[in-house]
Structure formats: C-alpha cells, structure tokens
Amino acid sequence: MVEIQKNIDVPLPNYKEKWSFHRLEIGDSFAIPFEDNELEVTRLRTAASAYSGRHRVRLVTRTTEEEGTKMLRVWRTE
C-alpha cells in the first residue's frame, strides 16, 4: 500500500521563469519599459492573458507614464 504524506513542498521548476505571475498577490504589480521593447510588451500581454485563463486569476495590463518613461504595468486584481 502507498503511504500518503502531507506538507511536502513542490520543488521549483528547473526552467527559467520569465514572468513571475504566480508570485503576485492581489494588488501587486510590476512594469517593463514600453519604448524600443514592443515585441516584449506583446509577449508579456499574451503571457498574462494565458496565465489568467489557466489559473483563474485576473491580471490587468495598462500603459502608464512613470518618471517620463512609457511603461507597461501588470496588476493582479483578483
């Protein structure tokens, strides 16, 4: 018979995490520069959409102006 064990953490993946959506708590956000980075902005928006669909969380992206720099900011809202 198999022994059931509790409180054993799942090991971290052995691949590189590009975006840390899973670390965001409600109200947290992060941003990347928009200028000269439009391909990465598109990738981030696509990844946020896919992650929110798979994990049933709401991620909101907005273009913001921060200290004179155009940024793409991602928030976890629920």
Side-chain angles (χ1 to χ4, degrees), residues 3-74:
E3 179 185 348
I4 304 295
Q5 299 175 325
K6 298 184 185 287
N7 299 322
I8 297 177
D9 293 333
V10 176
L12 293 175
N14 59 1
Y15 54 85
K16 182 181 175 192
E17 292 177 9
K18 184 148 191 168
W19 311 113
S20 297
F21 299 127
H22 65 284
R23 296 176 196 254
L24 292 174
E25 294 182 14
I26 294 174
D28 290 351
S29 68
F30 66 89
I32 64 168
F34 199 100
E35 299 296 325
D36 301 323
N37 206 15
E38 292 183 26
L39 181 58
E40 203 62 23
V41 165
T42 301
R43 288 177 177 160
L44 175 54
R45 282 185 172 144
T46 303
S49 176
Y51 182 87
S52 64
R54 281 193 312 268
H55 298 280
R56 296 181 183 166
V57 299
R58 175 165 279 172
L59 298 174
V60 176
T61 62
R62 295 286 186 270
T63 303
T64 62
E65 186 79 24
E66 300 177 21
E67 299 176 7
T69 303
K70 187 176 178 182
M71 304 286 282
L72 177 70
R73 184 163 290 278
V74 178

